[in-house]
Amino acid sequence: MAAALENELEVDNEDYYSLLNVRKEATQEELKSSYRRLCMLYHPDKHRDPELKRQAEQLFTYVHQAYEVLSDPQSRAIYDIFGKKGLEVEGWEVVERKRNPAEIKEEYERLQRERDERRLQQRTNPKGTISVGIDATDLFDRYEEDFEDVPGGGFPHIEINRMHISQSIEAPLTTSDTAVLSGSLSTHNGNGGGNINLCVRRVTSARGWGELEFGAGDIRGPLFGMKVFRNVTARCFVTAQWGLQFSSRGVRPSATTMMARHLDQNTMGYLQWRWGSQSAMTTSIVRDTKTSHFTLALQLGVPHSYLMMSYQYKFQDEDQTKVKGSIKTGFFGTVVEYGAERKISRHSVLAATVSIGVPQGVSLKIRLNRASQTYLFPIHLTDQLLPSAVFYATVGPLAIYLAVQKLIIMPYVRAQKEQELEKQKEDSASEIARRKQEAEAAVLLMQESVKRIIDAEESKMGLIILNAWYGKFVSDNSQKRERAKVIDVTVPLQCLVKDSKLILTEASKAGLPGFYDPCVGEEKSLKLLYQFRGAMHQVLSGDTEALRIPKQSHRIDPET
């Protein structure tokens, strides 16, 4: 059974719910009513022409197969979870047939956990950080006469004064034990050093875990540490950490403990005590919602005490844009920061922050997250509060980002999407051709039924579908030279009319009888022009939107 699930199970293009035009929550009565209607339409005995009879037999088989699956609770539960592939597992190896849908779902989730655990044992989780500190104070604060006699003195002197590189990998030992190996190298103004750490973590239960840490370095010497985590209640947890740092000056012990509690659904409160070379007591409140993130923190300690407040607003857009600002004041001075963060590709996030402080001066911090790797570029612009430095630190990155976004990133992402779309079309070309042939055959089989439906609707001035198009529509003012990719679905929709009503469920309309996907991977719509009680109506509906007609709001003004 585990082997059957080892590969990702893909849902088949044939959506049984869409084929029967029923909701995913459809009752047995709704399934039976739709099934009987389609059986009357596709029954082979209604057609004398050999070719039409053959096509009717094929479509009748599809409808019967869909009804058999959805009308059986066990088969339906498997189909809802695994798709059509799950029904093809030989010998019903996925689950026992005697189980109810709830048990089937529970079994599936258990198998998912087992599969994830197996994959976890084969996977390391590399994480890395590269930080390059740049001193650019010469751009805004220098004496011109110092460079008059120096070759090349007309150009500002910008240098890299510090670098830091760290990397870690995880190695799952068992389902509950994990080893983490990490190391780092740092250099500052020509002096540097490094260290290496090994951490072994064990998950003791669903409520807690513990870890041991061993480290060594060329500056601080050997390190031994221990950390534990425990869920005290459903709303409260505690962490505690102890460490011993060995050096030529002796042994330096340290300890940290923190308690956190959920104050409400979106708010956490933290209380932390740290003892050692930099002892401090810190309390903070963090509120994180869908649209914002707020932090208020107070620290009392040696050598630093401070009060900090930060706020971040999250835009609900595709690029996950965030803007943030913070203020921090204490014995060291005052620092104000503001910046923005935005997703620039599927796996990359770019952020820029301007830091203005007394006596720190003005700095620009650029961060790029690429998957699990982080690249940091802190640029120190000036030791003083110069308006020019603040202006260029704010406007410069924004102008560069907009230029790079328009000239490089957007064309690249667009080209990538087009390549993926073309590949998707090539891979599904034979499937599209098959579905198109089936749709055309279904339309031929519907002709006689449609004539009867139209005659019945006309006799009572009911619902007549005049024109119906499905696919991708192109507006008249489109700047691209592209053509509409639509198919005529007038007959299939008229065939679904019953008692002067047409009801389509929330599913892709490409699975409806007589439909197919004319533009794989692209956004599609359904455009209808229909007549009801002698009046013209028109509506445009999204591909997966539910639709119910007729409606008064669809009526076309005669003067228009």
Side-chain angles (χ1 to χ4, degrees):
M1 183 163 71
L5 295 173
E6 200 59 42
N7 298 322
E8 294 291 339
L9 294 173
E10 299 177 356
V11 178
D12 195 89
N13 289 333
E14 295 174 6
D15 185 344
Y16 287 159
Y17 291 100
S18 184
L19 179 63
L20 298 180
N21 190 28
V22 294
R23 303 172 298 119
K24 288 197 173 183
E25 303 80 14
T27 63
Q28 290 292 335
E29 289 300 320
E30 291 174 330
L31 288 170
K32 189 176 295 184
S33 175
S34 179
Y35 173 63
R36 287 175 176 172
R37 181 180 175 84
L38 291 174
C39 283
M40 291 176 62
L41 179 64
Y42 295 139
H43 203 287
D45 294 344
K46 295 180 62 177
H47 305 278
R48 296 181 180 178
D49 183 272
E51 179 62 23
L52 288 179
K53 190 178 185 69
R54 184 189 65 80
Q55 293 171 348
E57 288 176 350
Q58 187 177 19
L59 291 170
F60 184 82
T61 301
Y62 290 155
V63 171
H64 182 69
Q65 183 182 28
Y67 177 71
E68 274 195 333
V69 170
L70 299 184
S71 61
D72 179 72
Q74 286 79 20
S75 302
R76 185 172 179 177
I78 295 172
Y79 175 78
D80 287 344
I81 298 170
F82 295 102
K84 190 178 176 182
K85 294 287 185 182
L87 300 168
E88 297 173 357
V89 178
E90 185 177 352
W92 284 87
E93 296 177 22
V94 178
V95 288
E96 299 176 19
R97 288 188 61 88
K98 63 182 181 181
R99 298 190 177 186
N100 59 43
E103 292 173 331
I104 292 172
K105 185 176 182 180
E106 183 180 350
E107 176 74 0
Y108 168 70
E109 291 173 349
R110 185 186 67 80
L111 291 171
Q112 283 283 75
R113 288 194 297 270
E114 290 181 358
R115 183 176 60 175
D116 291 341
E117 288 173 357
R118 287 194 300 272
R119 288 181 173 179
L120 185 63
Q121 295 176 18
Q122 302 169 359
R123 183 179 70 230
T124 61
N125 184 22
K127 296 179 182 178
T129 299
I130 297 178
S131 177
V132 180
I134 301 172
D135 184 356
T137 54
D138 205 33
L139 286 170
F140 300 96
D141 188 11
R142 68 169 179 169
Y143 291 102
E144 296 293 338
E145 57 267 22
D146 291 347
F147 299 90
E148 289 179 354
D149 301 326
V150 180
F155 295 96
H157 182 63
I158 300 175
E159 65 176 2
I160 296 175
N161 60 0
R162 67 175 64 194
M163 290 188 67
H164 175 80
I165 300 174
S166 64
Q167 187 74 28
S168 70
I169 57 172
E170 295 182 3
L173 305 176
T174 66
T175 56
S176 59
D177 296 330
T178 303
V180 181
L181 181 65
S182 62
S184 66
L185 293 172
S186 300
T187 178
H188 184 202
N189 292 331
N191 298 317
N195 62 74
I196 186 169
N197 291 70
L198 174 64
C199 174
V200 180
R201 182 185 303 123
R202 163 164 284 192
V203 178
T204 55
S205 67
R207 300 183 61 182
W209 51 264
E211 65 181 30
L212 294 176
E213 181 181 6
F214 306 91
D218 61 349
I219 298 177
R220 296 184 177 181
L223 167 70
F224 171 75
M226 181 184 298
K227 185 176 182 180
V228 294
F229 169 89
R230 181 72 175 177
N231 277 313
V232 181
T233 66
R235 299 172 60 87
C236 178
F237 67 86
V238 174
T239 63
Q241 184 174 356
W242 303 271
L244 293 175
Q245 180 73 62
F246 298 89
S247 67
S248 58
R249 297 180 180 180
V251 180
R252 291 185 177 181
S254 63
T256 302
T257 181
M258 183 189 70
M259 183 176 70
R261 180 178 176 80
H262 287 274
L263 304 180
D264 62 33
Q265 184 178 1
N266 303 112
T267 308
M268 290 286 296
Y270 298 90
L271 182 62
Q272 183 185 65
W273 173 74
R274 185 171 64 248
W275 173 77
S277 59
Q278 295 186 348
S279 299
M281 176 75 76
T282 306
T283 181
S284 59
I285 295 176
V286 179
R287 180 170 178 79
D288 190 14
T289 65
K290 186 178 180 180
T291 59
S292 65
H293 183 93
F294 173 78
T295 303
L296 178 64
L298 172 65
Q299 175 175 300
L300 300 175
V302 179
H304 294 307
S305 295
Y306 65 82
L307 175 66
M308 187 272 288
M309 181 173 63
S310 69
Y311 179 79
Q312 182 183 78
Y313 182 78
K314 307 172 187 177
F315 291 90
Q316 303 304 302
D317 59 353
E318 184 180 354
D319 296 322
Q320 301 176 11
T321 306
K322 303 174 184 176
V323 294
K324 56 186 177 181
S326 69
I327 182 170
K328 186 176 182 180
T329 182
F331 294 159
F332 55 84
T334 301
V335 178
V336 176
E337 292 187 344
Y338 57 89
E341 176 183 306
R342 193 171 195 183
K343 187 177 181 180
I344 58 176
S345 70
R346 185 178 180 182
H347 301 291
S348 301
V349 176
L350 180 65
T353 303
V354 179
S355 177
I356 306 169
V358 177
Q360 291 84 358
V362 181
S363 298
L364 171 64
K365 303 172 185 176
I366 298 174
R367 185 185 84 248
L368 174 64
N369 291 97
R370 175 70 179 173
S372 59
Q373 301 296 314
T374 301
Y375 304 90
L376 298 172
F377 301 93
I379 306 171
H380 188 51
L381 299 178
T382 175
D383 295 325
Q384 306 175 47
L385 295 183
L386 299 179
S388 58
V390 176
F391 174 79
Y392 285 108
T394 304
V395 177
L398 182 60
I400 293 173
Y401 169 76
L402 292 176
V404 172
Q405 175 81 359
K406 187 173 182 62
L407 300 177
I408 300 176
I409 297 177
M410 290 180 65
Y412 173 76
V413 172
R414 193 182 303 116
Q416 287 290 102
K417 288 183 177 179
E418 290 176 356
Q419 289 179 6
E420 292 177 2
L421 184 60
E422 288 300 320
K423 186 176 184 303
Q424 188 179 2
K425 289 179 179 178
E426 291 176 4
D427 295 342
S428 58
S430 59
E431 175 67 15
I432 294 173
R434 182 182 71 82
R435 297 299 298 271
K436 181 180 179 181
Q437 185 178 6
E438 291 175 0
E440 291 172 347
V443 170
L444 288 175
L445 297 173
M446 294 175 183
Q447 295 295 338
E448 293 185 9
S449 297
V450 167
K451 290 178 181 178
R452 291 196 300 270
I453 293 172
I454 291 177
D455 290 342
E457 293 295 325
E458 283 181 342
S459 65
K460 56 184 178 182
M461 297 186 69
L463 179 60
I464 307 293
I465 308 297
L466 301 177
N467 279 302
W469 301 93
Y470 173 69
K472 179 181 178 181
F473 296 89
V474 179
S475 59
D476 295 336
N477 57 357
S478 175
Q479 297 180 356
K480 292 184 178 181
R481 294 182 178 179
E482 55 181 350
R483 59 184 180 84
K485 303 172 185 177
V486 296
I487 57 174
D488 187 345
V489 291
T490 307
V491 172
L493 288 183
Q494 185 68 66
C495 195
L496 294 175
V497 173
K498 183 179 180 182
D499 299 330
S500 298
K501 292 179 183 178
L502 173 63
I503 301 174
L504 302 180
T505 60
E506 291 181 351
S508 175
K509 297 172 178 60
L512 290 170
F515 281 63
Y516 69 93
D517 192 342
C519 44
V520 175
E522 299 183 60
E523 187 175 349
K524 293 171 281 291
S525 303
L526 174 65
K527 190 173 185 178
L528 274 170
L529 179 68
Y530 64 92
Q531 181 176 303
F532 180 69
R533 294 180 180 173
M536 301 290 287
H537 297 68
Q538 182 173 287
V539 63
L540 182 66
S541 174
D543 185 28
T544 57
E545 291 179 9
L547 178 65
R548 186 185 184 97
I549 62 174
K551 279 190 176 181
Q552 180 68 27
S553 57
H554 300 163
R555 185 166 178 168
I556 301 175
D557 189 346
E559 296 181 359
T560 305

